[in-house]
Every structure is written in C-alpha cells, then in structure tokens.
C-alpha cells in the first residue's frame, strides 16, 4: 500500500526537471509533463497550469496570521473552490482568504510578493476555463466584499465593493428605483470579475459591455498599493485593469453608471436561417431600432431574435419603421413553417419532437406571471439567469465563443455552427452585439474586443447541451479548439481566452502585443503572483 | 396513483448534484450577514463533495428559512440536506428535548372532533387575544397539542420518539382542514400525512375576504418564509394575485423569494445564543415607502416593531379594519 505522501513524492520525482515543476517561465505555455511525447509529431502543451509546489507556504501563512488575516486551510474550505462553472479544470489552493477590505487584500498581496505565493482571485466563479481555479497558493474569495457603498440618484452612479454579485447590486438599486446599465445575464457574476473580462447583456448593442460602464475603480495592485483610478486619474492602470483578466490588480471598489429602472417589453421573431437572423440583428443595431437585441437558438433552423424596449415610444417607433423589414416570423407563422418543413422530411421527426419539447419547456419559463407586469418583463436577469441554469446548467459546461467585427460575424457563426453540429446533437448559440466606445480603444487591446472591430463588435457563444451525457475532456477540448481555430483564421478574439484556452492568446493577438503586455505585467507584478498562469 | 408513478421517475437530487452555480447565496440570510460561503448550502454541499465532514458551526448556522430550495436549478432539497446533517450531529441538548417530548407523550389528550383545526406557534401562544381572534376568523379549533416540542426537535435534528409522534398526529387524522402557523412543522406534516389538507396560517388568513379586503397599496405584507418556500411554485402565484388585486408590496426580492425577518440559527432557536433580527428587518424595509406593515408571523411583527416607525399589524387584525397596532 502506498501512503499518500510517499505517492506524491513519487509523482514529484517522476516529473523530469526539463518539463519542469517549478521553473516554467511565467508567460509561456509549458509542455505537458504527463505525456509531452504522447502524440507522434505533435507537441502536446499543458492545459491546466502546473501546481505550485508550496515552497515558503508556512512562513507566508504565519505572516498572514500575524497580520490578523484569517487563512482557512481545511479541505472543506479549499474544496469549495476546487473548480469553476465549467467543471473541467480542478485544482486546490493551499488556503482560502475571504476578502474583507482593501487594506486586508493589500497586506495579503504584499506578503505574497515577498514569499512568491500565487494568489488566485475569484468572484462568482462563473468562468469556465479554470481561470479562477487555484492550482496551489491562496484563493482570494472576493464575495466577502459585497457592500453597496453609495447610490447617487442625481449623478446616476453607484459606488460598490468589487465582490458583489450583479444581482445583489440590482436588489439594492431597485429599492432606489434604479438599475445598472448592462451586466451578464447571470445573477451570480461579480462586478469585479466582470469588469476584468467584459460582461455582455442584451442591451450591450446600445450601451456597450459592462466593463465600459465603470467610471472609476479602487484597485489593489499586485504589489499591494491601494490606488484609485479612472480615465483621468492613473489612467494607465485603469486601462490595464478594465478587461485585463485580473493581471494588473484586484478591483476592490467600483463606481458604475446607473439609470432609472424600467421594465421591458419583449418581442420574439423566429427564423429558420442563422444568416438572415444575424443580418436583421445587425440592421436593428446599426439603426438604433431597439433598446435590447440578441439571438438565441434552439436549433440552427429555429433561431429566435429577441428585441425589447424600455419605453412605449421606442416600441412604437420600432413597429412603425423597422418591424416590417424583419424577415422573421411570429410564433404562429413560424409554427406553420416548421410544420411544412417536417411534413416534407418525415425522417427528421425526432428533430421536430425535440423542438416542440424545448419550446414547451423553455418558453413558459421566459414568461412566468410573477416576473411580468402588464405584459412587461420586470426582471430580465432573473428570468434569463434562471432559465440558463435550469436548461443549460450542470456540473460540466463548455462555452467556447468567438468575437469578431460586424463584417466577419456571419461567417464566424456559420462556421462555428458546423463545428457544433459535428460534436454535439443539441446546442444553443447566443449572439449579441457590443457597442464600442472609441475613447476606450486602449482598454480593448488584448481583450475580448477584436482588434479590427469598429463601432460594434459581435460575440457568439456556442453552448452544447450536455445534460446527462458524459463526454471525455479530450472531446470537449477538441470542440473548443475547433471553434477557437476559426477565431485565429478570421483574426477575431474570444471572451474566454484564459486558463485552458490560453494557448490561443499568442496565435490570435500575435507575439508583439502579448510580449508588450507581458512586460507590463512583469513590471507591475515582479513575482508574477496575481492570477498567474491565467493568460501569461 | 399518477403522482406516485411520476415521482418514482424523478431522480432524487443530493449534494453530489451541486454544480456550484451560487444561486442559493443571494437569497441566504446567513450569507447576507457573513459573506462566508462555508456557512451556506453551497459551502456544505461542496464540503461533502470533497468527502469532508461539515463543521458543526456550518451545520448549525442555517436558519432553515428554505429560501435556497426553490432557487436551486438542480432541484436539490438543500434545507433537507442541512436537516440530515443535523440528524447526524450529536446535539448537546438532545436529552432535554427527548425528555420534553416524553413528558408530552405521557400527558393524555381529551377527545376533540372538529372539521378544521389549527396549530399556533410558540409566539402566537403568548398572545391570547390574537389567538382568539384568529380562531374566530378561521372557524377552526385550536389543537390541544401544539407540537411545539416536535417543531423544535425537527429543527435541531433530534429523533422524535414514535409514541410522541403518534400522540401528536392521532387527533389530526380525519380532520378536513388543518392550518399550521409554524412553517417547518407544516412542511413535515405534509410529508407525514400526504393525503390530508394542510395550509399555512398566512395563506388561510389572506384568503379570508374580511382580511384581504383591508389590504392597502401602501402596506408592506411580510410573508412567513418557511411555509412560502416549501410550497413556492403554488404560493408565488397566490401572493402575486394578492399584489395584483390590492397593490401592496411584499418582503420579496427580485427572484420572488421571501426575505426572512427573524433569521435565527440553531443555537439562537434553542435559546443558547442571543439573536439580533435588526439587520434583516432593516434590509426588508430598506428604501420602501410604506404606511403600514402587515405580518403573517407574530415573531416577525415583534422584530419589525423594534425598528419601524409605521404601525405593524398581524394579518388577522386586518379583519378589524387594520387599525389595531400589535401590542
């Protein structure tokens, strides 16, 4: 019988020094130390980062405790954060710290620099590629900092702590009859995490991504300085932290734009062609014809374009000027189309049954009476988020995505759709535009915003419905790679390019850009401790 | 028959199915107060997924408000999971609770037949005037055995002796309608006697025309969360109809989950630790423009009276035109 410790020592000794346990240069993707030569002629790269071995952990832990920082080292505490929403990357931190204040985060990062201990920051943990999974070191749980500090209904701003869930922020804002501008349609995304990666809502075609709503931030830098930054104050830090994948600081507070709350009236148009639906979506966005727009598919022949409005006036203008130009059908008209389609293809009745079942289950969920008032949806994030988790959630989720300029978007989606078809029987595509802010061009470099996008960028998530099926990790990774290869081909970008997908970063952004950012990272974070291995 | 067949094919969900979506966190009063995931259903499920024993503090911290149950997309019985953990935990006060139940079981009951009966909770029993008013409104007889010891044992995860349970349930058999004030007891009675008709005190009173007629658009109606969350799919529609008809606000969050006012963990329920309901009560009232608070639970009423400057009335008191302020 092998004892666990001696087995770990055995594993440690088995890893050749060349493929290296500790000396892989941060900023490079190392070879796979499990089987770097397993595929003849193809160099295998590691996907999960190497686990930090834990040198100097005890001295570091002692310093934290001397500073009054509670460090949890039990398996139960660490295991809570063993994976993220994707459920394919697993790792354990050596200890967990719940963030309580900027001063505490600062003390933690200073000690981490001194002892070279990696710190992985986690908000809602909803990312899927292992970016918020700690492979050793400290896991910093930012949800401990979830207070709303001040709502200014005159200036239309809110100051909040960075770990707060968008939903918790909405709960407080609604008591003041206010709302945030745009946030992911997932209630438990955190504000800080979202500002670091983007954040897309169905109103992003009009209002931009969540990251563009930030007016100012309080950031704890990797070396532990507490710095306020904005477009005018410490602008360079602001540029790097926004959409910076957590590489240049921990967002402890944020000032965000808000607006008066309005319920929204939804309209659904159904298409049997992705191309037509996308063209119509882009036409609406370009003409500012709606307040909200996006596409959600049940199948690639059952495509739902959703359009929504904050006011009766905007809705009336849409009906008068734009509705007739849409090529989509209403529900009844589309049902007739689908009936005709399957009457001519009786061998595809299984597909028709799937469509019918999906519609019967999903649609009532989007129109539950308790979330509607006078035909208007009162809580879009609650409605969509509950539906997302109910119908697409599970212990394993892969959601590769593509972001491109308007011009390349149809091709990207059609090619991605073919990949989905090859890998999974059922999947959903979620497509939405992002209005860009020219003055934020510097924020967008090496982010989810494609370098060639002007005015709008478009994103598509390709989400297989895994359900109770079991797929190997290789199958899921191959699927993601096939989607991401399209991004390289088209010169686009991705929303989820860190963690297990970081091998694509240099391919899609090029060495010059990545090396420049890596140099900045090294200057800001000399020991490379903050969210290491996530993108560099 | 159909119900049995249908349920037989619904897979039972447990902690292994937790995907870590965190949807249970924003509705959890313990998380709101501590921001400590280990004290939430999410934390307990994840600890068990690691094969670890959940700490006693984490097991006892739950207030059993049940808010997590309806929001779990995996449909895990999260409060049931916590109760199961409590049953596996040795409770220092179990012998005292057992003795209390034994004592009650030994006490003979007089035979009382009634078409409808109701079980007040501990807090209501301390307000005889209100108790009488509710009895009158409901047209139901107060049960001789209120099951308060059983409710506490359920909460603590202490095994209820069969003879005590038998003594409690026997007078309820054959009764057409049973109204229960304690939400946790109601949930378990529904499971124990599935063929019988149980209803929460809040639902029973709010369906009474003399009561609901006096609800105002400027009222904050405070729903008792345990009963509400245990029958969420049906009751969310019931209260939405009340809102549509009378325009009153509810202690509901954006997910239509009831914000508990008195959220007490096990040591607080057992009287071993002081409780402080102020933070929760303040959150329920925060930013609301109201002229009166209407409560289903008198315990909630007492907590709200401490911090509110508008009148607090029990739902039953609305039948007296809602002007009587609770003592």
């Amino acid at each position: 019988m092998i004892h666990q410790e001696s087995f770990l020592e055995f594993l440690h000794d088995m890893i050749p020094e060349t493929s290296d346990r500790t000396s892989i240069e941060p900023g490079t993707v190392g070879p796979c130390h499990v089987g770097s030569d397993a595929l003849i002629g193809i160099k295998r790269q590691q996907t999960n980062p190497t686990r930090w071995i834990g040198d100097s952990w005890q001295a570091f832990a002692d310093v934290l405790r001397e500073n009054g920082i509670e460090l949890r080292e039990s398996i139960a505490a660490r295991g809570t954060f063993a994976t993220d929403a994707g459920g394919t990357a697993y790792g354990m931190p050596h200890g967990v710290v719940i963030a309580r204040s900027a001063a505490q985060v600062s003390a933690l990062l200073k000690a981490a620099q001194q002892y070279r201990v990696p710190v992985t920051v986690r908000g809602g943990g909803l990312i899927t590629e292992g970016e918020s999974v700690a492979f050793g070191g400290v896991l910093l749980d930012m949800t401990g900092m979830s207070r709303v500090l001040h709502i200014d209904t005159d200036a239309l701003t809110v100051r909040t702590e960075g770990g707060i869930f968008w939903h918790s922020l909405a709960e407080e804002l609604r008591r003041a009859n206010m709302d945030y501008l745009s946030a992911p349609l997932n209630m438990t995304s955190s504000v800080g995490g979202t500002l670091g990666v983007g954040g897309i809502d169905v109103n992003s075609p009009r209002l931009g991504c969540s990251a563009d709503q930030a007016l100012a931030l309080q950031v704890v830098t990797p070396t532990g300085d507490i710095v306020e930054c904005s477009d005018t104050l410490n602008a360079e830090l602001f540029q790097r932290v926004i959409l910076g994948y957590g590489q240049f600081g921990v967002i402890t507070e944020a000032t965000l734009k808000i607006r008066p709350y309005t319920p929204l009236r939804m309209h659904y148009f159904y298409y049997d062609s992705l191309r037509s639906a996308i063209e119509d979506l882009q036409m609406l966005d370009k003409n500012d014809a709606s307040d909200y727009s996006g596409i959600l598919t049940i199948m690639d022949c059952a495509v739902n374009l959703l359009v929504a409005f904050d006011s009766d006036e905007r809705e009336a203008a849409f009906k008068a000027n734009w509705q007739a130009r849409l090529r989509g059908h209403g529900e009844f008209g589309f049902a007739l189309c689908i009936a005709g389609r399957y009457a001519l293809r009786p061998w595809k009745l299984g597909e028709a049954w799937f469509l019918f079942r999906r519609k019967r289950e999903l649609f009532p969920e989007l129109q539950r009476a308790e979330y509607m008032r006078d035909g208007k949806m009162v809580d879009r994030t609650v409605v969509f988020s509950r539906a997302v988790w109910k119908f697409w959630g599970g212990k394993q989720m892969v959601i590769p995505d593509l972001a491109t300029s308007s011009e390349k978007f149809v091709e990207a989606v059609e090619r991605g759709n073919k990949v989905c078809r090859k890998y999974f029987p059922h999947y959903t595509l979620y497509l939405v535009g992002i209005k860009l802010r020219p003055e934020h061009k510097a924020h967008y470099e090496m982010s989810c915003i494609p370098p060639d996008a002007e005015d709008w960028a478009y994103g598509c998530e390709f989400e297989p419905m895994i359900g109770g099926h079991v797929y190997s990790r290789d199958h899921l990774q191959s699927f993601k790679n096939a989607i991401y290869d399209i991004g390289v081909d088209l010169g686009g970008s991705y929303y989820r390019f860190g963690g297990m997908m970081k091998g694509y970063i240099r391919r899609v952004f090029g060495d010059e850009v990545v090396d420049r950012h890596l140099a900045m990272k090294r200057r800001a974070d000399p020991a490379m401790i903050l969210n290491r291995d996530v993108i560099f | 028959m159909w119900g049995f067949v249908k349920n037989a094919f619904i897979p039972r969900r447990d902690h292994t199915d937790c995907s870590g979506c965190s949807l249970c966190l924003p509705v959890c009063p313990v998380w709101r107060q501590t921001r400590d995931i280990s004290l939430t259903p999410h934390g307990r499920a994840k600890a068990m997924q690691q094969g670890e024993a959940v700490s006693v503090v984490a097991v006892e911290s739950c207030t059993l408000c049940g808010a997590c149950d309806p929001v779990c997309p995996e449909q895990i019985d999260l409060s049931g999971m916590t109760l199961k953990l409590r049953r596996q935990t040795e409770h220092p006060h179990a012998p005292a609770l057992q003795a209390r139940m034994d004592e009650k079981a030994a006490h003979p009951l007089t035979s009382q037949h009634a078409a409808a009966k109701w079980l007040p909770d501990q807090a209501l029993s301390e307000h005889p005037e209100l108790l009488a008013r509710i009895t009158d409104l409901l047209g139901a007889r107060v049960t001789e055995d209120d099951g308060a010891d059983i409710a506490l044992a359920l909460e603590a995860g202490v095994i209820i002796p069969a003879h005590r349970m038998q003594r409690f349930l026997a007078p309820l058999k054959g009764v057409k309608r049973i109204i229960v004030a304690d939400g946790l007891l109601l949930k378990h009675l529904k499971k124990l006697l599935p063929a019988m008709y149980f209803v929460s005190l809040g639902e029973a009173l709010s369906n009474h025309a003399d009561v609901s007629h006096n609800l105002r658009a400027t009222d904050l109606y405070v729903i008792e969360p345990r009963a509400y969350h245990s029958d969420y799919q049906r009751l969310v529609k019931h209260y939405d109809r009340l809102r549509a008809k009378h325009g009153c606000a509810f202690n509901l969050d954006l997910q239509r989950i009831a914000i508990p006012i008195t959220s007490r963990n096990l040591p607080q329920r057992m009287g071993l630790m002081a409780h402080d309901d102020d933070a929760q009560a303040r959150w329920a009232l925060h930013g609301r423009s109201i002229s009166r608070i209407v409560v289903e639970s008198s315990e909630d009423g007492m907590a709200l009276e401490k911090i509110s400057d508008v009148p607090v009335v029990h739902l039953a008191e609305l039948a007296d035109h809602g002007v009587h302020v609770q003592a």
Side-chain angles (χ1 to χ4, degrees):
Chain A
M1 185 176 156
I2 301 173
H3 287 288
Q4 196 184 3
E5 276 178 25
S6 57
F7 180 65
L8 288 174
E9 277 169 22
F10 163 77
L11 277 181
H12 186 263
D13 294 340
M14 283 296 289
I15 302 169
E17 287 299 328
T18 46
S19 63
D20 209 55
R21 304 182 294 262
T22 54
S23 62
I24 292 171
E25 180 70 8
T28 60
V29 179
C32 172
H33 56 249
V34 177
S36 53
D37 56 352
L39 301 171
I40 298 163
I42 301 172
K43 188 180 153 198
R44 273 187 94 178
Q45 291 186 316
Q46 67 176 70
T47 47
N48 282 359
T50 316
R51 180 172 167 79
W52 179 70
I53 296 298
D55 299 332
S56 69
W57 172 257
Q58 200 48 55
F60 168 74
D62 292 343
V63 167
L64 289 196
R65 291 191 171 113
E66 278 163 23
N67 276 292
I69 296 172
E70 188 192 357
L71 178 68
R72 297 180 180 186
E73 295 181 85
S74 73
I75 293 176
R78 294 183 292 138
T80 301
F81 305 102
T83 188
D84 58 13
T88 54
Y90 278 79
M92 285 282 257
H94 285 77
V96 172
V97 170
I98 301 177
R100 297 294 181 193
S101 68
Q104 177 225 35
V105 175
S106 163
L108 168 70
L109 290 176
K110 281 177 181 168
Q113 283 288 339
Q114 188 187 343
Y115 292 94
R116 308 181 78 79
V117 175
V119 177
T120 304
V121 186
R122 179 176 163 124
L126 294 183
I127 204 91
T128 54
E129 300 303 323
E131 297 95 320
S132 62
V133 174
F135 299 90
V138 178
L139 186 294
L140 178 62
D141 171 16
M142 286 304 295
T143 61
M145 291 183 71
S146 290
R147 288 175 306 159
V148 173
L149 302 172
H150 179 63
I151 299 171
D152 187 334
T153 53
D154 296 323
L156 294 177
T157 61
V158 62
R159 181 78 170 182
T160 179
E161 289 185 330
I164 195 168
F165 293 152
W166 285 98
H167 179 71
S168 304
L169 176 60
E171 290 278 3
E172 297 242 10
L173 290 174
R174 284 285 288 281
R175 299 286 179 95
N177 206 29
M178 290 282 144
D179 200 2
Y180 50 64
L181 267 66
S182 65
L185 291 176
N186 207 323
M187 293 188 289
T188 52
S189 308
S190 73
V191 165
T194 305
L195 299 183
V197 294
I200 297 159
D201 197 344
V202 279
N203 59 16
S204 292
R206 194 155 193 251
L207 302 176
C209 64
S210 312
D212 273 340
Q213 317 305 335
L215 296 169
L217 303 175
Q218 182 193 65
V219 172
V220 182
T221 66
T223 48
D225 298 321
I226 302 171
V227 182
E228 185 73 17
C229 61
S230 67
D231 275 331
T232 52
L233 180 69
N234 298 310
E236 199 183 333
L237 179 65
F238 191 57
Q239 284 166 11
R240 292 285 59 83
V241 172
I242 293 286
L243 298 168
Y245 255 77
Q247 295 301 302
F248 295 92
V250 179
I251 299 172
T252 43
E253 289 181 20
T255 303
L256 306 169
K257 287 184 206 166
I258 57 173
R259 60 179 178 148
Y261 164 76
T262 53
L264 56 96
R265 196 182 295 279
M266 304 283 292
H267 293 269
Y268 300 101
F269 299 92
Y270 301 88
Y271 295 75
D272 59 5
S273 149
L274 270 169
R275 177 176 286 266
S276 309
I278 294 169
E279 286 169 356
D280 282 1
L281 171 80
Q282 292 185 331
M283 182 270 290
L284 293 178
D285 293 346
K286 203 173 170 186
N287 292 289
D288 191 25
S290 66
D291 295 323
Y292 305 80
S293 63
I295 289 174
L296 198 64
T297 70
I298 300 179
M299 287 171 51
D300 56 5
C301 63
V303 180
N304 181 5
L305 168 66
L306 69 89
V307 180
F309 304 92
D310 282 323
S311 70
D312 294 342
E313 295 73 33
R314 291 273 295 164
E315 186 186 17
F318 164 78
K319 284 182 174 171
N321 302 319
W322 305 105
Q323 186 168 347
R325 295 173 61 173
L326 297 181
R327 286 166 284 175
H329 303 275
E331 201 172 319
F332 181 68
F334 189 67
L336 287 178
C337 287
I338 286 290
R341 178 189 179 92
Y342 289 110
L344 296 172
R345 297 173 181 83
W347 61 91
K348 286 197 167 181
L349 274 179
E351 223 177 76
W353 171 242
F354 170 78
L355 265 181
F356 171 73
R357 206 159 38 92
R358 201 69 181 164
K359 182 197 168 298
R360 199 185 53 182
E361 291 166 355
L362 178 62
F363 280 44
E365 201 64 30
L366 301 177
Q367 293 163 359
R368 290 173 65 105
E370 62 268 26
Y371 300 117
M372 305 293 286
R373 301 270 188 281
D374 307 321
K376 291 184 177 178
M377 188 184 278
V378 282
D379 297 297
R380 71 177 189 281
T381 309
V382 173
V383 172
F384 286 114
S385 182
R386 283 172 74 125
V388 164
W389 282 103
K390 188 169 175 182
F391 294 100
W392 289 275
K395 280 196 283 189
Q396 274 198 329
M397 282 196 285
V398 289
I399 319 173
D401 61 89
L402 290 170
T404 73
S405 61
S406 308
E407 297 75 26
K408 295 174 182 170
F409 193 54
V410 172
E411 184 187 346
V413 175
E414 287 185 338
R415 287 175 64 180
N417 180 54
K418 275 188 194 156
V419 171
C420 289
R421 262 203 226 162
K422 185 178 154 192
Y423 280 85
F424 299 99
H426 302 298
Y427 54 89
T428 291
L429 311 183
Y430 170 49
L431 296 74
V432 75
I434 307 165
K435 177 85 175 151
L436 303 181
R437 288 175 61 181
E439 74 276 20
H440 277 186
K441 196 95 181 169
H443 295 203
Y444 299 151
E445 188 173 86
M446 211 175 122
S447 78
C448 61
I449 307 296
D452 61 346
E454 297 288 338
D455 301 327
W456 281 272
Y458 279 85
C460 178
E461 291 184 335
F462 302 86
E463 183 162 6
M465 286 147 70
I466 292 177
H469 296 279
V470 176
Y471 294 99
S472 72
R473 210 178 141 196
D474 276 356
H475 183 86
L476 299 175
Q477 189 65 40
S478 302
F479 164 63
K480 291 187 286 187
N481 290 350
I483 296 284
Y484 275 43
D485 286 343
I486 298 167
V488 174
D489 247 19
L490 294 178
S493 183
Y494 319 101
Y495 191 77
R496 299 166 181 82
F497 58 68
M500 288 187 285
M501 302 311 293
K502 76 173 178 181
Y504 279 88
I505 292 175
R506 283 183 180 271
R507 293 177 64 191
V508 80
F509 296 119
D511 286 340
E512 189 275 318
V513 172
V514 178
D515 284 337
R516 189 154 39 80
H517 281 251
L518 179 56
M520 288 191 278
K521 167 72 173 171
R522 285 191 170 128
R523 278 199 301 277
D525 184 359
M528 297 289 276
I529 46 109
L530 185 59
N531 294 317
R532 68 187 271 175
D533 293 318
V534 169
I535 61 170
F536 294 117
Chain B
M1 177 66 187
W2 167 238
F4 169 77
V5 173
K6 196 172 73 172
N7 290 333
F9 291 100
I10 295 173
R12 290 189 73 80
R13 297 278 184 150
D14 60 21
H15 66 274
T16 60
D17 294 295
C18 174
S19 62
C21 68
S22 299
L23 291 182
C24 55
L25 297 186
V27 297
C28 176
V30 178
W31 190 71
R32 183 170 175 81
Q33 284 160 32
T34 64
R35 304 296 184 196
D36 184 343
I37 290 180
S38 72
L39 304 181
T40 68
H42 178 144
R44 289 186 281 275
K46 286 290 166 188
M48 284 193 284
Q49 283 182 6
Q50 300 297 318
E52 280 299 288
V54 182
S55 72
V56 174
V57 177
V59 174
E60 291 189 342
S61 64
C62 180
T63 67
L64 293 175
C65 68
C68 49
D69 291 328
V71 299
C72 177
E74 302 297 338
Q75 295 178 304
I76 303 168
D77 177 9
L78 292 166
S79 53
M81 178 185 86
T82 304
L83 278 175
K84 197 172 164 188
L85 285 168
R86 284 192 182 171
R87 286 195 288 273
Q88 293 163 359
T89 309
E90 221 166 280
H91 195 280
H93 286 71
L97 276 170
Q98 294 275 10
R100 191 173 153 190
M101 287 190 282
D102 285 339
E103 191 192 329
K104 262 223 160 148
H107 195 268
L109 286 173
T110 53
S111 177
Q112 291 180 326
H113 294 291
K117 288 188 176 181
W118 85 279
L119 286 96
D121 58 14
Q122 193 76 39
L124 268 176
S125 304
E126 288 161 17
H127 292 91
E129 212 177 300
L130 184 59
L131 198 72
R133 185 76 190 95
I134 296 171
T135 306
D136 185 39
L137 271 170
L138 296 175
R141 184 190 286 268
V142 179
T143 55
E144 193 179 343
D145 182 348
D146 63 5
D149 55 333
I150 290 175
L152 204 54
L154 281 170
E155 183 132 6
V158 171
I159 293 164
I160 299 160
H163 60 287
R164 172 67 187 103
M165 190 54 98
Q166 207 175 354
R167 192 245 193 202
F168 175 57
L169 295 181
L172 302 179
K173 285 177 182 159
V175 178
K176 282 187 180 157
R177 183 171 183 250
I178 303 165
I179 300 133
V180 186
D182 185 303
L184 189 64
L185 193 58
L186 172 70
K187 183 179 172 180
H188 284 80
L189 280 170
K190 281 180 176 175
K191 277 188 193 162
L192 287 166
L193 302 171
M196 295 184 65
Y197 178 61
F198 291 96
V199 64
S200 72
L201 178 64
E203 186 186 1
L205 286 173
S206 60
N207 272 330
H208 197 293
D210 290 350
V211 172
S212 62
H213 178 71
N214 288 310
L215 280 170
R216 303 192 297 230
T218 52
D219 283 342
L220 173 68
Y221 183 119
V222 177
I223 300 168
E224 192 283 308
R226 289 177 164 188
Y228 173 68
H229 297 137
S230 69
D231 195 4
Y232 175 80
Q233 295 297 343
R234 191 177 64 81
L235 288 176
V236 73
K237 293 186 177 77
H238 167 74
Y239 289 106
D240 201 49
R241 281 193 295 270
L242 274 186
R243 178 203 57 77
K245 193 170 177 187
H246 304 284
C248 50
F250 290 86
N251 58 324
L252 298 177
D253 66 12
L254 299 182
Q255 293 197 70
R256 309 297 181 265
I257 294 298
I259 299 166
I261 307 296
T262 46
S263 60
R264 297 173 188 173
N265 60 31
L266 183 58
Q268 288 167 334
R269 282 269 167 221
M270 300 293 292
L272 305 172
M273 194 192 277
H275 57 78
D276 183 1
D277 303 317
D278 288 6
Q280 275 297 118
R282 282 187 205 288
W283 168 235
L285 298 183
H286 175 69
R288 296 189 194 271
S289 178
I290 51 172
S291 66
R292 184 175 65 175
I293 300 169
V294 179
V295 295
E296 289 184 347
S297 148
S298 48
E299 199 175 53
D300 287 348
M302 286 185 275
L304 286 162
E305 272 182 337
K306 266 177 67 187
I307 60 143
S308 169
D309 52 6
V310 297
V312 181
V313 298
H314 192 276
L315 193 53
E317 292 167 323
L318 288 191
D320 310 322
H321 305 289
V323 290
H324 174 72
V325 179
Q326 197 179 31

